[in-house]
């Protein structure tokens, strides 16, 4: 690129839409980071599911892992990270928690419910309220809190 094009590319409006070599490298780097995140998320999901399956089906092979427990606690409300098939096992696993882990789970569930209740308050129609209340996040948080009672 010419000196004028370089100056143009540095402007926020960049009317000519000039992309420098440095910007191309930066974009490519961002794409690599995104693909690595996707791989990490799927790997994490697989590890969590495998951990829960071992806990449920073969306790002799299962070994407690604090990082797995924390990961499951933090992702339990997300259906993409813990699928509907694994939810009953995750609920059973987490409902057996005690002490600080139990307090943390209760805190996360209450925060989730409060957040969704705020969304309900902001929505005007009953249909939107129903969608939020019927969402898996809301139901999972309620189920988890009820499992401790």
């Amino acid at each position: 690129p010419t000196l004028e094009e370089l100056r143009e590319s540095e402007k926020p409006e960049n009317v000519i839409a000039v992309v420098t070599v440095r910007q191309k490298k930066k974009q490519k780097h961002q794409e690599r980071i995104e693909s690595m995140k996707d791989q990490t998320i799927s790997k994490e999901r697989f590890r969590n599911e495998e951990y829960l399956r071992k806990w449920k089906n073969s306790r002799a092979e299962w070994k407690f892992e604090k990082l797995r427990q924390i990961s499951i606690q933090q992702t339990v409300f997300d259906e993409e990270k813990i699928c509907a098939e694994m939810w009953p096992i995750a609920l059973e696993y987490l409902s057996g928690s005690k002490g600080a882990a139990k307090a943390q789970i209760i805190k996360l569930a209450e925060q989730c419910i409060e957040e969704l209740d705020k969304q309900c308050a902001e929505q005007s129609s009953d249909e939107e309220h129903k969608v939020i209340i019927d969402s898996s996040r809301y139901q999972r948080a309620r189920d988890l809190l009820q499992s401790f009672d």
Side-chain angles (χ1 to χ4, degrees):
T2 65
L3 189 58
E4 185 179 316
E5 289 176 330
L6 286 174
R7 286 191 191 119
E8 181 66 31
S9 70
E10 291 172 358
K11 292 180 183 176
E13 61 273 4
N14 193 0
V15 191
I16 304 176
V18 176
V19 179
T20 63
V21 173
R22 184 178 189 153
Q23 288 170 330
K24 286 180 184 177
K25 286 182 181 180
K26 193 173 185 180
Q27 287 173 348
K28 193 171 185 179
H29 180 69
Q30 287 297 328
E31 290 169 5
R32 271 195 232 114
I33 289 174
E34 288 299 318
S35 70
M36 287 177 70
K37 277 183 186 176
D38 292 341
Q39 290 173 356
T40 304
I41 289 170
S42 65
K43 207 181 276 187
E44 188 77 12
R45 177 182 176 174
F46 176 77
R47 285 182 184 156
N48 288 347
E49 287 180 1
E50 192 64 28
Y51 179 79
L52 288 170
R53 280 193 188 96
K54 278 186 181 179
W55 176 82
K56 178 71 175 172
N57 301 323
S58 56
R59 291 277 172 99
E61 293 177 24
W62 176 79
K63 184 175 184 260
F64 177 74
E65 297 176 33
K66 184 70 174 174
L67 291 177
R68 273 305 119 234
Q69 182 186 34
I70 292 169
S71 175
I72 291 167
Q73 286 175 356
Q74 292 174 344
T75 60
V76 74
F77 305 117
D78 190 353
E79 198 165 349
E80 291 178 9
K81 295 184 179 170
I82 294 184
C83 63
E85 172 191 320
M86 294 303 296
W87 168 239
I89 300 172
L91 178 62
E92 187 180 344
Y93 174 77
L94 292 172
S95 65
S97 298
K98 295 177 182 163
K102 180 179 176 179
Q104 179 67 20
I105 294 167
I106 290 171
K107 180 181 167 190
L108 289 170
E110 288 173 344
Q111 285 176 347
C112 181
I113 289 174
E114 284 176 23
E115 178 185 315
L116 292 171
D117 283 343
K118 282 182 185 177
Q119 285 181 10
C120 271
E122 292 171 1
Q123 303 301 325
S124 57
S125 73
D126 288 338
E127 232 177 76
E128 292 168 336
H129 288 280
K130 188 169 174 30
V131 169
I132 291 172
I133 290 173
D134 289 341
S135 71
S136 65
R137 266 180 73 101
Y138 192 82
Q139 292 304 319
R140 286 181 177 197
R142 287 181 49 91
D143 290 347
L144 206 48
L145 284 176
Q146 289 173 355
S147 73
F148 288 122
D149 291 340

